[in-house]
Structure formats: C-alpha cells, structure tokens
C-alpha cells in the first residue's frame, strides 16, 4: 500500500525521486505516464500524494490530474507537479485541477522531504 | 442599524404624532363641551407612546426578536387604544341617542301629559261651570279642550308605541268622559235633564275622570322616571367618557413628555455623534499624517540604504517601490515594471539552463502556496557576475525572501542585491594570504633539515617524471609504474609531513598515473601529463620560496631543538645499543669496548658539528657577496671530527657571523681586483678546528686582501678611540677592531636575529674563558693591508672529539 505515487516517463527521474523518498522511510510506487498513473491510482486509492512530471507520452501530467479529480472522483489525494517550465496557462489548469504545488527540476530532496511527509501524514 | 431604524421610527412617530396631535387638538373638546361631541379620531398618542416605549428598549435589545417584541407591544397598545376608543365612541353614540330620545320623545310626551292632565282638570271644572253658569259655550269650549287632550293622548300614543295600550285606554276613557260630559251638559242646558239627574252623573263621570287622570298621572310619573333615568345614564356615560378622555389626555401629556425626552436625547446623541465624528476626523487626519510620515520614512530608507532591495510581483516584474541603490548597482534608472530576467539576469555569466531554471522557479513560486517556495527556493541563484555596458564586471549576491499573506500564498518575492565585487577581491586576497599562512604553518611544523630533504627528493622525482614523460614515445607498463611510484612517494611524504596544500595536487597527478596503470584511462596525453607535473613542480617551488625567503630556513638547518631535548643520531644510538646488546657479558674486553662506545655516544649528546652550527651563516654569505658585487666564496670547514657542545653554538654563531661576513665584506676582493691580483674569481675562506690540549681552537683565514690596518687606524682616530697622533703597531691596530664603538653597524640576519658588536662577542668569548687573537701571516705589505688569520680559543670542555 503505497503512500506516494511517482509518475515520470524518465526512469532516471523515477529512480532518483522514488529512491530518495524510499531511503527516507516512505512507501513509494511508480508509473511511467499519465495513463499508467491513473490506473495505478485506481488500483491503490490509499495513495496520499502523487508526484508527477508534466510532459509525458500517452497522457501528460495535467490531463492525468484532471482525470484524477474528474473520472476517478478522487478529490483528496494531493498532487504535486515536477516541471521544467511554468506558464500562466499551466498554472491556471493546475489550479483548476487542484494541484498543490510545483517543483522545478532539478529535484532537491531536502527541500521537499518535510513537506511531503506532512502531506502524507495529513 | 437597529438604532438607526428606531431613530427613524421615533422621528416617524414624532412626525405622525405632530400631525395627529394637531388634528386631535382641533377636534378635542374642552371638558365643558363634552356633551357636544366626544374625542374623535385616533389619538395617535398611543402609537407614539408605544413606539417610544419601544425606543426605551431598543438601544439595549439589538436583535430581531426585540423588533418583534416592539411590534407586538405596539400592536397591543394600538389594540387597547382602538378598544378604548371604540368603547368611547359607542358610548357617546348611545348617549346621543338617549339625548335624542329625551328631546324627541320624553319631552313632548311629558309636556303633553302635563297639559293633558291640566286639561282634564280644567275640563271637569268647565263642565261644572258650564252647568252652574248655564253657559252652553263653556261646555262647548270644554269639549273642545277635551278633544285637544284626546289629540294629545293620541299623539302621545303615537310617540310612545310601547305604552300605547295604556294611553289608548286612557284616551278612550277620557274621550268617553268628554263626550258624555259634554252630552250631559248639553242635555242639561237644553233642559233635557234636570240637575238632579245631572249631578250624580257628572259626579260619576268626574270620579271616572279622576281615575283616568290618576292613570295618566301615573303614566306621566312613569314616563318622568324613565326620562330622568335616561338622563342619569347619559350623564354618567358622559362623565366616564370625560374621565377617560382626561386620562387619555394625561397619557398624551406623558407621552409628549417622553417624546420630548427622547427628542432631547436624540439631539444630545446627535451632538455626541457629531462630536465623535469630528474627533474621528481629527484622528483620521492624525493617522493619515502618521502614515504619510511613515511612508516618508520608509521612502527615505529606500532611497538611502546602500543595499539594492526590490520586490517581484505576479508576472515576474519589478514593483515600482525599490531602493534607490539598485540604480547604482545596475547603472540604470529604468527599473520599475521591468521584468526580473531582463533587469537582473541579462549579461551574466550564468548558463542558459540556469537562467531558465530561475525564471521557471520564480514563476512557480509567485502566487502559489508557500510550500512551493520551500520546494524551489534552492534553485534561486544567489551569486553571479554581471557585465556592465562598458565591459566592467561586477559580482552580485542575491538574497531571496518570500512575502506571504495570511492565506499562506506567496504574494511577492523580495530580493536583496549586494554588490560584492570589492568584497570578493578582498576575500580572494585574504584567501591567498590564508593559503600562504597555512603553508608557512605546514613548513614550520617540519624541521628545517627534513623539509630540505623532502624538497630535494620531491623535486627530483617530479623532474624525473618530466624527463621520462618527455622522452617516452608511448606508454609502457614499466614507465607508467615508475611514474606512479615516484608520485606516490612524493604524496606519501607530503602527507607524512602534513603539507596539506600540496597533497591534493600530487594526489591528482598520482591518480592519473593510477588510471593509466589500471587501464581505465587509455589516452596517453603527454601534454596533459606534463602540465600536471608543472603544476606539482610549481607548488613545490612555492613551498620552497616560502621556506627559503620568507622563513629564511634555507639549508638543512641545525639538527634538533636545543632548548629541552638533545638529539642524537638515531642510527648511532641504535648501533651502540646493538653493540651493547651483543656484548658477551663474560668478556671483559668486549664489555669495556662496549662501555667506551656508550661513553662516546653519550658524550656526543648535546653536541653538533660546526658545519651545522654555522650553516645559517654560511648559507647567507652568497647573497651578501652578490650584494657587494663579489663572487660567493667557498667556505671550507675542517672540523677534524670535533663536535662542539650546543652551549656555545650561540656564541660561535655570533662570532663567526661577524668574522665571516667581515671576511666577505673587507677581506675578499671584487672579482676584478682578484683577477688583477692573479687570484681565482671565487674567494676562499677556511676554518680549522682542533682540540689542542686544553683549548678548543678555531683558526679562520681567507685569501682576500688581508686586514686594512691603515683604514682601521683612521676609523679609530675618527671615532675618537685613539689619539690621532698615537703611533700603533700592527698588532695594536688589529686590536682596535675589538673596541666598543668601533663598529656601530649591527649585523642583522633573518636567521640569527640581531647580532651584537664585535666587542660584545669578544666579551662573551672571554666570559666563557676564551680569547681571540689576530695572527698576521707574512710581513706587512705596505699597501696598508696585511694578511692575517683569527685565532679563537675556548676551553676544550666545550667540545668533544668524535
């Protein structure tokens, strides 16, 4: 039963992020794109936090977030995006989809660990 | 709001009261005229009263329930009011009716009744009179009168339908009487009857008439009773109405009083409010001024602080309120509303990716929850170099602070910009100095001799590596191994001696060789390898320079620290111990020999070779010679195995510093002069040491021009040490150099510290039981110079022979 779901099409990023979180005692599952993320979340609704890249094949992060809130009807899971760019449209879409935060790559473990732990406890 | 609406209600009530009161004043009768008409209309006093009653409560009751309570009370009051008014109205209508009755009914009836009674009386009399007077006309008149009464009775009956039966009966009775009486009279008068017949008849009729009259009288009485009862009732109703009206009037007055009270209150409150308003306005003006002052103060701060502070707002552009110093830093006045990336991050030494990251991070933080700042703040660049228009570069440092509102959203980013160009320069200088100090520390922690050794060997290794690398055409296993081993040794030594500023570079070079050795690096790049070696060599040179010039520790230095510890050659100790251990304890000779060896060793403790004692001096001679334009002389020390005790090493150093430097200064000639004299260009100084009897004897001579006796004489005369006229022998002259004040020049060296004058040195010598002499060699030449040697003797106890 995972607490955090890491979604990114780059295995390097997945390993880095998931690895860091695991080393710090968190339960982490991974997915390779939006579709995969959705299905993993569907199967394991106990996930408290989704950390997702924006640009992915098959289904991008924002669409996945929208579908999580819409199709899946999951309004409670926290969603945080990993991104290399940030324009007003993205922010708007993100806000509408109830995205909690934006992490700019490169990801720095120490900067996020405390907050992630809080989001997972909540 | 309640107060307002209640005030409105009061005013409304007041207004309405006024209106209505005017009306009711007009309508309201005076107490006397209450019969004419009653209090009319709705005295609205009650409405006002209830409203005012309500007002008494409303300031304290501030909720909707009080509103309904007020409305309920008002409703009840109005109801009561209407009830009372209706009652009054009804009552007064009743009274009016009653009075109408009185007027229309009772009066006429009573009057008629009275008149009828009167008529009845008169009629009976008239009938009698008529007979008595035999006046038929009286009878007729009486009959007519009777008919009148009958008419009255008829009318009364009509008026009083309720009692018509009685009245009809009375009428009928009277009418019959009237007719009969008239007839009787007529009969009599017409002589139809006689008096005897008429009288009893008339008496009978009159008796009946009396009954009829009584009936009528009682009817009248009854009628009168009703009449007065009605009047009474009416009067009492009127009275009660009057009282009620009075009461209502009183209430009105009270309410007026209350209303006045409230109006007065209102006015007072309004005055209070106006007062407070003014107060408020004053305070607002004060606050506004304070704010203006504060804003001014803040503006002043912003204008004058020597730090660039700006805030970034949504859209990543710069807020117009920034500190003036920013203009100095960026050398532009166009700052407000400019984009952050445009103003701060153009023409920098940051890479495109870094810039993009900064831009995205700022966009991700502004207007978002503060957790995003935590996520991304590490990507906000804190230092970089910026190039100005004219090509100068500045080093800037940035401090970022998020400005968060109550909802936890980052509204703005505050950035503090500092120009640290100067700071960096100083820091770099300081760090250079710091490094040098570190290196000095490292060097000092190694003994001079060991350091010298290390330097020599390390440089040798590096040079060897260079040679090998240059000569090699390609990498062979042997070559690489050799290169590696050399560097490894250097590294090991450097580490052992704690030369931290050296080890890293050496280690890198060693790693290069190691990689080549292990086959991980396959490229044989001689250029790169040579560069690396140069680096190492450069560092070694740096160390050497610091050691030699800054610290003046050139040369192998004296062996060991003399203060507390004695250093003995380890190998000798080891040897001796070994010898002692291996001694055959049964063999006396062997033991004696071992003992002797041990003694020798022990004697050698606390002694040094003269070469070592004088090393500092001898090493400084070349530079002195060069300064004086002379060739560095050769200093040959023949110590004949004599070791001097450390106790006198200081003294010897002082002594020979003077003597040797003098030899170079005054003795050895310049190369030209030497060449002219047929001497080799390099001078030679010789120092012999031997133990002769009780003396430890030093003989110092040089192959220079000898002692300048004339000059010495001259100087002495100049200095007033001898009389100019005195003639001195050469020997006496030679002694002049030992006089105090002869040479005021103090010899200062980096190594031996301040020297003392020759006279002092002689004093030290003599205090230790030594002496110094000048021994001339050969005859005086006549050029004022004479070859000589110094002969110094010290007690032999200060030396041991090896």
């Amino acid at each position: 039963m995972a607490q955090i779901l890491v979604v990114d099409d780059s295995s390097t990023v997945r390993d880095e992020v998931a690895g860091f979180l695991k080393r710090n005692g968190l339960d982490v599952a991974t997915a390779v794109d939006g579709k995969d993320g959705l299905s993993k979340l569907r199967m394991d609704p106990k996930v408290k936090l989704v950390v997702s890249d924006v640009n992915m094949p098959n289904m991008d992060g924002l669409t996945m977030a929208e579908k999580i809130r819409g199709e899946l009807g999951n309004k409670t899971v926290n969603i945080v995006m990993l991104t290399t760019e940030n324009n007003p449209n993205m922010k708007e879409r993100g806000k509408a989809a109830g995205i909690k935060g934006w992490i700019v790559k490169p990801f720095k473990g120490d900067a996020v660990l405390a907050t992630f732990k809080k989001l997972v406890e909540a | 709001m309640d107060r307002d609406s209640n005030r409105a209600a009061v005013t409304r009530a007041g207004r309405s009261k006024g209106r209505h009161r005017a009306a009711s004043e007009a309508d309201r009768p005076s107490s006397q005229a209450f019969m004419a008409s009653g209090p009319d209309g709705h005295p609205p006093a009650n409405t006002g009263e209830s409203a005012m009653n309500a007002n008494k409560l409303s300031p304290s009751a501030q909720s909707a329930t009080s509103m309904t309570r007020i409305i309920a009370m008002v409703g009840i009051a109005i109801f009561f009011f209407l009830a009372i008014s209706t009652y009054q109205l009804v009552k007064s209508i009743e009274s009016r009716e009653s009075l109408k009755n009185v007027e229309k009914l009772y009066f006429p009836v009573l009057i008629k009744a009275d008149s009828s009674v009167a008529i009845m009386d008169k009629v009976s009399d008239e009938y009698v009179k008529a007979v008595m007077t035999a006046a038929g006309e009286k009878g007729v008149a009486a009959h007519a009168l009777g008919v009148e009464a009958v008419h009255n009775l008829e009318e009364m009956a009509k008026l009083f339908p309720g009692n018509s039966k009685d009245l009809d009966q009375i009428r009928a009775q009277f009418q019959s009487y009237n007719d009969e009486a008239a007839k009787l009279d007529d009969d009599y008068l017409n002589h139809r009857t006689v008096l005897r017949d008429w009288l009893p008849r008339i008496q009978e009729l009159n008796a009946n008439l009396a009954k009829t009259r009584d009936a009528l009288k009682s009817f009248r009485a009854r009628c009168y009773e009703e009449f007065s009862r009605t009047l009474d009732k009416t009067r009492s109703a009127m009275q009660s109405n009057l009282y009620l009206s009075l009461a209502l009037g009183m209430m009105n007055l009270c309410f007026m009083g209350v209303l006045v009270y409230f109006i007065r209150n209102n006015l007072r409150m309004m005055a209070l409010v106006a007062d407070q308003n003014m107060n408020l306005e004053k305070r607002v003006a004060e606050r506004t001024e304070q704010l203006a002052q504060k804003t001014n103060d803040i503006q002043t701060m912003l204008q004058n602080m020597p730090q660039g502070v700006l805030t970034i707002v949504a859209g990543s552009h710069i807020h117009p309120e920034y500190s003036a110093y920013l203009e100095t830093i960026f050398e532009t006045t166009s700052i407000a509303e400019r984009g952050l990336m445009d103003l701060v991050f153009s023409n920098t030494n940051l890479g495109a990716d870094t810039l993009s990251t900064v831009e995205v991070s700022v966009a991700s933080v502004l207007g978002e929850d503060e957790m995003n700042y935590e996520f991304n703040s590490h990507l906000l660049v804190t230092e970089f170099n910026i190039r100005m228009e004219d090509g100068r570069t500045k080093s800037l440092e940035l401090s970022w602070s998020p400005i968060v509102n109550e909802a936890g959203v980052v509204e703005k980013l505050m950035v503090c910009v500092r120009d640290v160009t100067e700071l960096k320069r100083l820091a770099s200088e300081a760090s250079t100095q710091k490094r040098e100090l570190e290196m000095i520390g490292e060097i000092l922690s190694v003994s001079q001799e060991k350091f010298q050794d290390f330097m020599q060997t390390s440089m040798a290794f590096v040079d060897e590596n260079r040679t090998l690398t240059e000569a090699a055409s390609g990498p062979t296993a042997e070559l690489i191994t050799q290169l590696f081993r050399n560097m490894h040794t250097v590294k090991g030594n450097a580490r052992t001696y704690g030369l931290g500023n050296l080890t890293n570079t050496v280690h890198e070079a060693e790693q290069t060789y190691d990689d080549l050795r292990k086959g991980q690096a396959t490229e044989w790049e001689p250029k790169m390898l040579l560069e690396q070696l140069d680096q190492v060599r450069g560092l070694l040179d740096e160390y050497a320079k610091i050691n030699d010039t800054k610290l003046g520790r050139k040369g192998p230095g004296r062996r060991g620290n003399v203060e507390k510890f004695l250093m003995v050659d380890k190998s000798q100790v080891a040897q001796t111990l070994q010898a002692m251990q291996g001694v055959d304890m049964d063999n006396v000779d062997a033991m004696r020999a071992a003992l002797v060896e041990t003694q020798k060793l022990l004697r050698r403790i606390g002694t040094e070779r003269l070469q070592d004692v004088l090393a500092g001096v001898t090493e400084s001679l070349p530079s002195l010679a060069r300064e004086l334009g002379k060739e560095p002389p050769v200093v040959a020390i023949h110590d004949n195995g004599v070791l001097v005790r450390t106790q006198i090493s200081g003294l010897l150093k002082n002594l020979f510093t003077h003597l040797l430097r003098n030899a170079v200064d005054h003795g050895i000639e310049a190369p030209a002069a030497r060449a002219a004299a047929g001497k080799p260009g390099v001078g030679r100084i010789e120092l012999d040491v031997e133990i002769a009897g009780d003396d430890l004897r030093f003989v110092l001579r040089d192959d220079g021009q000898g002692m300048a006796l004339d000059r010495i004489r001259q100087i002495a005369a100049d200095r007033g040490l001898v009389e100019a006229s005195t003639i001195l022998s050469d020997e006496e002259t030679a002694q002049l150099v030992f006089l105090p004040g002869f040479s005021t020049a103090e010899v200062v060296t980096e190594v031996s510290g301040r020297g003392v004058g020759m006279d002092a040195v002689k004093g030290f010598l003599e205090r230790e039981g030594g002496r110094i002499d000048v021994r001339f060699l050969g005859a005086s030449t006549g050029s004022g110079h004479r070859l000589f040697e110094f002969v110094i003797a010290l007690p032999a106890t200060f030396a041991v022979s090896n």
Side-chain angles (χ1 to χ4, degrees), chain B residues 716-752:
Chain B
D718 288 342
R719 298 268 162 83
L721 296 166
V722 292
E723 307 232 341
S725 53
T726 318
I727 309 280
L728 295 165
S729 67
D730 285 358
E731 283 77 11
E732 285 166 334
T733 311
Q735 288 299 314
L736 287 175
V737 304
F738 295 115
L739 286 176
F742 182 82
S743 168
T744 55
E746 284 174 358
V747 180
V748 179
T749 66
E750 280 178 347
V751 178
S752 58

Side-chain angles (χ1 to χ4, degrees), chain B residues 142-413:
Chain B
H143 187 255
L145 213 59
V147 169
E148 206 183 293
V150 169
H151 280 316
N152 275 352
L153 288 165
E154 257 180 32
E155 279 165 20
M156 276 166 64
K158 275 197 208 134
L159 280 173
F160 235 138
N163 290 334
S164 60
K165 213 172 82 175
D166 293 339
L167 285 171
D168 283 343
Q169 200 181 30
I170 293 171
R171 182 169 54 88
Q173 283 178 350
F174 184 68
Q175 193 167 29
S176 84
Y177 164 81
N178 201 27
D179 290 341
E180 286 216 31
K183 189 162 172 294
L184 264 176
D185 267 17
D186 189 57
D187 280 346
Y188 179 71
L189 287 172
N190 292 332
H191 308 289
R192 281 195 284 274
T193 48
V194 288
L195 199 69
R196 252 197 334 250
D197 293 319
W198 178 86
L199 201 64
R201 281 309 314 273
I202 206 83
Q203 278 176 338
E204 198 185 320
L205 283 175
N206 281 343
N208 287 340
L209 180 69
K211 284 193 206 131
T212 309
R213 203 184 58 202
D214 286 338
L216 183 60
K217 269 199 180 145
S218 71
F219 169 80
R220 188 217 180 259
R222 269 200 328 269
C223 190
Y224 184 77
E225 227 181 84
E226 271 187 41
F227 161 75
S228 67
R229 209 185 17 237
T230 307
L231 277 187
D232 273 340
K233 224 176 32 186
T234 308
R235 191 181 57 219
S236 69
M238 294 285 187
Q239 226 165 25
S240 67
N241 261 2
L242 171 68
Y243 290 147
L244 274 176
S245 299
L246 278 177
L248 281 179
M250 288 307 298
M251 276 199 291
N252 243 2
L253 283 174
C254 290
F255 303 145
M256 250 201 314
V258 170
L259 184 70
V260 165
Y261 170 74
F262 270 114
I263 286 184
R264 203 184 56 146
N265 253 14
N266 228 17
L267 287 173
R268 225 174 334 143
M269 258 196 329
M270 274 177 13
L272 205 73
V273 167
D275 200 30
Q276 277 186 346
N277 229 18
M278 218 166 56
N279 231 14
L280 206 70
E281 266 175 35
K282 200 163 59 165
R283 231 177 291 154
V284 165
E286 267 173 31
R287 286 288 153 82
T288 311
E289 200 197 300
Q290 272 178 4
L291 187 67
Q293 181 67 33
K294 202 181 225 175
T295 310
N296 204 20
D297 288 340
I298 292 175
Q299 267 298 319
T300 313
M301 265 174 25
L302 275 182
Q303 289 305 314
N304 289 308
M305 66 169 138
Q307 268 189 342
V309 178
L310 59 90
T311 39
I312 308 169
V313 297
S316 295
H317 54 253
I318 295 170
H319 192 270
E321 296 253 1
Y322 55 84
S323 77
Y325 196 68
L326 221 51
E327 291 175 1
T328 312
I329 291 181
F330 291 107
E331 297 178 4
T332 172
T333 49
S334 142
I335 291 181
E337 306 297 339
R338 260 178 88 176
L340 170 72
M341 302 311 292
D342 179 33
L343 173 71
V344 178
F345 287 108
S346 35
N347 300 325
T348 65
N349 64 336
L350 297 171
D353 184 53
T354 314
L355 289 175
S356 159
T357 309
V358 169
E359 194 172 4
V360 173
S361 302
V362 169
S364 300
V365 165
L366 280 175
E368 298 290 335
D369 188 271
E370 57 184 324
M371 80 160 80
N372 290 291
Y373 183 79
E374 277 171 44
F375 288 158
N376 300 312
S377 59
H378 65 102
L379 293 167
L380 297 171
V381 162
T382 49
E383 57 182 319
F384 58 95
N385 293 337
I386 192 172
R387 196 165 72 228
M388 298 288 114
E389 269 182 21
D390 59 1
R392 279 171 302 127
T393 45
K394 291 190 182 179
S395 287
L396 299 183
E397 263 185 19
L398 303 180
S399 307
W400 302 78
S401 310
I403 295 179
V404 180
N405 68 10
E406 296 126 13
V409 168
V410 175
E411 277 187 358
K412 304 185 197 147
L413 268 178

Side-chain angles (χ1 to χ4, degrees), chain A residues 84 86 91 101-102 104 108 115, chain B residues 363-364 366 372 374 376 378:
Chain A
T84 52
N86 199 317
K91 275 179 124 183
W102 300 91
V104 177
K108 184 168 178 224
T115 312
Chain B
S364 300
L366 280 175
N372 290 291
E374 277 171 44
N376 300 312
H378 65 102

